[in-house]
Amino acid sequence: MRQPTADTANWISRFQGLMQLDQDTREQLLRKSQIISAPKGAVIFGPGKSPENMLFLLDGTVRVQQVSETGREILLYRITAGESCVLTTACLLAYEDYAAEGIAETAVRAAALPRAIFDELVASSPTFRNFVFTAFSKRITDLFHVIDEVAFQRIDVRLAQGLLDLAGQGDHLAITHQQLAVDLGTAREVITRQMQEFQRRGWVRLARGTVDILDRDALRHLSGR
Amino acid sequence: MRQPTADTANWISRFQGLMQLDQDTREQLLRKSQIISAPKGAVIFGPGKSPENMLFLLDGTVRVQQVSETGREILLYRITAGESCVLTTACLLAYEDYAAEGIAETAVRAAALPRAIFDELVASSPTFRNFVFTAFSKRITDLFHVIDEVAFQRIDVRLAQGLLDLAGQGDHLAITHQQLAVDLGTAREVITRQMQEFQRRGWVRLARGTVDILDRDALRHLSGR
DNA sequence: CCACTGTCTGTGACTTTGTCACCAACGCCT
DNA sequence: AGGCGTTGGTGACAAAGTCACAGACAGTGG
């Protein structure tokens, strides 16, 4: 467990790529940004609600997902503590119509940096610029990965991966089949059936709204990592 | 038809977002970049072949596609004349392992700008910076679109869209079922069957390696635009 | 305690899409 | 003419998604 409310005054040190920033830029970043909070379930940004700020996530996670015309949803990526929200920032510099939305998956705290300052820092600090492009990279390769998985990977493999990802260290998950279905961009029934199969094999134990992982190795083996 | 070898000396004017560049930056861009050519089928970048330059495409098109572990491929996006190659540039600033590859779909000509200069211009010119982020935006929303389509759209709808896109103004396409399958990230047999169905309905005429569109309206109607 | 309500899960029947294993037709080369 | 690689066609089957509905559970308010 890491401290939930670490020293806010020096949040920069939690971001790998920002640690080498020169003193001047650090100060700008600290002075011009503002610490904000949002409760679980809050819509951080979305269609018609563009983020005026670039966010540096201090605590919690934000899920960025997309809703298709048909009403179905899919998770694009998660932003976890210690990561930033570059994609949306950059996207909204240009295109206002934006199919994706960001939702606080837990209560979140973040440092918010106004667009204008973001732009200034990109111009003035090579380190900051590098941070931004690196963050971009990661997100984009993530997106490539999502495309690959959705297009070519079997659903049982993806589900096994998803369960392991979500479980982290623990073996207990509080999640519904519907939520898992959205994460993977498939239908709830498909998840239900696969979970049954996993349970039949003794890999998980199911109950209403929860999943217990009984055999990590089996799941890991299926997931191919 | 546009002139295939337009005045190279002033290629900047072909890029919407670069026209407002100040004189200084324009000169940098022209002096430090180099016009390069590649034949049809050339691999512009790919795994183990990272682009040392940012490309501004003057003529031709480049297809950026991804090859999955299973060997199947999918088109991520196309870069057409008048567009640039920002995603890859930025990506490769950071992550060298890169699943995507860029292939010249036709003979291409491009202005190549070394990374270092790219970085300088991003720092010094607000207009250039804006161009870069706008280009990013477009690509990323394209990727979101691909994810949405792959995950949720029916294959017949996607095929109809694909045919219309590829046909442009004309009614004749020189393309194999296999190539269409890669574009949509599906299997060749699936395309064959759908095309048969389209032909049965009188929407297209098929021949070895070619497709003639007979009923654009029907395709457009199915494609939902 | 019971009835009511909304959420969550389970299931069968069916359609669509993807996979596998072939084969046939075509164009090209020697 | 014969051989060969590419392209397209097909049937049988497996995987995944859709639709319609039913039962099970947890809370809520009487």
Side-chain angles (χ1 to χ4, degrees):
Chain A
M1 283 290 164
R2 82 166 73 96
Q3 69 280 39
T5 311
D7 58 328
T8 298
N10 195 22
W11 57 262
I12 289 180
S13 61
R14 296 203 219 167
F15 289 78
Q16 188 54 36
L18 295 180
M19 293 188 16
Q20 291 92 35
L21 279 184
D22 58 289
Q23 201 49 41
D24 221 50
T25 311
R26 286 175 93 93
E27 271 170 30
Q28 278 269 320
L29 205 50
L30 286 173
R31 272 197 307 119
K32 301 283 176 62
S33 67
Q34 204 185 346
I35 306 295
I36 60 167
S37 299
K40 176 174 173 172
V43 177
I44 311 291
F45 58 87
K49 196 187 174 197
S50 48
E52 282 306 308
N53 301 295
M54 174 172 179
L55 297 181
F56 297 83
L57 211 61
L58 305 181
D59 291 303
T61 66
V62 174
R63 51 183 295 130
V64 178
Q65 65 188 27
Q66 187 172 215
V67 186
S68 85
E69 301 151 2
T70 68
R72 283 180 57 188
E73 303 169 58
I74 185 170
L75 175 70
L76 297 171
Y77 54 87
R78 283 197 172 80
I79 307 167
T80 64
E83 294 182 330
S84 65
C85 215
V86 269
L87 267 207
T88 41
T89 313
C91 274
L92 293 168
L93 291 175
Y95 286 78
E96 293 296 331
D97 64 331
Y98 199 59
E101 58 182 4
I103 297 176
E105 211 162 28
T106 65
V108 297
R109 261 180 357 113
L113 184 74
R115 279 191 206 187
I117 316 291
F118 167 80
D119 195 56
E120 269 178 38
L121 293 182
V122 167
S124 64
S125 164
T127 308
F128 189 78
R129 200 153 58 232
N130 188 60
F131 171 81
V132 168
F133 283 121
T134 305
F136 259 122
S137 269
K138 180 170 177 329
R139 290 283 171 244
I140 289 163
T141 47
D142 282 357
L143 287 180
F144 285 179
H145 204 217
V146 170
I147 291 175
D148 195 279
E149 297 237 306
V150 172
F152 304 128
Q153 198 66 273
R154 292 174 50 100
I155 200 72
D156 51 355
V157 173
R158 300 209 290 135
L159 179 55
Q161 283 175 10
L163 288 173
L164 292 173
D165 282 357
L166 286 165
Q169 305 306 316
D171 284 341
H172 185 79
L173 277 172
I175 195 168
T176 67
H177 295 181
Q178 179 60 50
Q179 287 171 290
L180 282 165
V182 169
D183 273 26
L184 302 187
T186 182
R188 200 256 318 156
E189 298 92 315
V190 175
I191 298 293
T192 299
R193 280 195 265 262
Q194 280 301 330
M195 291 296 260
Q196 302 266 306
E197 179 61 21
F198 286 178
Q199 176 164 257
R200 203 187 57 70
R201 295 184 197 167
W203 297 354
V204 299
R205 180 172 38 243
L206 302 177
R208 172 174 258 241
T210 67
V211 181
D212 287 292
I213 295 180
L214 302 179
D215 190 344
R216 290 185 92 82
D217 287 341
L219 289 173
R220 188 158 35 230
H221 184 253
L222 175 61
S223 82
R225 320 190 190 156
Chain B
M1 285 288 165
R2 82 166 73 94
Q3 69 280 39
T5 312
D7 57 329
T8 298
N10 195 22
W11 58 262
I12 289 179
S13 60
R14 297 204 219 168
F15 289 78
Q16 189 55 33
L18 296 180
M19 294 193 7
Q20 291 93 36
L21 281 183
D22 57 289
Q23 201 50 42
D24 221 49
T25 311
R26 287 175 93 94
E27 271 170 30
Q28 278 270 321
L29 204 51
L30 286 173
R31 273 194 308 118
K32 300 285 176 61
S33 67
Q34 204 186 346
I35 306 295
I36 60 169
S37 298
K40 177 174 174 173
V43 176
I44 310 291
F45 59 87
K49 196 185 175 199
S50 47
E52 281 307 306
N53 301 295
M54 174 172 179
L55 297 182
F56 297 83
L57 210 61
L58 305 182
D59 291 303
T61 66
V62 173
R63 50 184 295 130
V64 179
Q65 65 188 29
Q66 187 172 217
V67 185
S68 87
E69 300 151 3
T70 67
R72 282 180 56 188
E73 302 168 59
I74 184 170
L75 175 70
L76 297 171
Y77 55 87
R78 285 198 169 80
I79 307 166
T80 63
E83 293 182 331
S84 65
C85 214
V86 269
L87 266 208
T88 42
T89 312
C91 275
L92 294 168
L93 291 176
Y95 287 77
E96 292 296 329
D97 65 329
Y98 199 59
E101 58 182 2
I103 297 177
E105 210 162 29
T106 64
V108 296
R109 260 176 2 110
L113 185 72
R115 281 191 205 185
I117 316 292
F118 167 81
D119 195 56
E120 269 178 41
L121 293 183
V122 167
S124 65
S125 164
T127 308
F128 189 78
R129 202 154 58 234
N130 187 60
F131 171 81
V132 168
F133 283 121
T134 305
F136 260 121
S137 268
K138 180 170 177 327
R139 291 282 171 244
I140 289 163
T141 47
D142 282 357
L143 287 180
F144 285 178
H145 203 220
V146 170
I147 292 175
D148 195 279
E149 297 237 307
V150 172
F152 305 127
Q153 198 66 275
R154 293 175 50 100
I155 201 69
D156 50 356
V157 173
R158 300 211 290 135
L159 179 55
Q161 282 175 11
L163 289 173
L164 291 173
D165 282 356
L166 286 165
Q169 305 306 317
D171 284 341
H172 185 80
L173 276 172
I175 195 168
T176 67
H177 294 182
Q178 179 60 51
Q179 287 171 289
L180 281 165
V182 170
D183 273 27
L184 302 188
T186 183
R188 200 257 315 157
E189 298 90 316
V190 175
I191 298 294
T192 300
R193 280 195 268 263
Q194 282 300 332
M195 290 296 260
Q196 302 267 306
E197 179 59 22
F198 286 178
Q199 177 165 255
R200 202 188 58 68
R201 295 187 198 164
W203 298 355
V204 300
R205 180 171 39 238
L206 303 176
R208 175 171 252 240
T210 67
V211 181
D212 288 290
I213 295 179
L214 303 180
D215 190 344
R216 292 185 92 81
D217 286 341
L219 290 174
R220 187 159 34 229
H221 185 253
L222 176 61
S223 82
R225 316 189 194 157

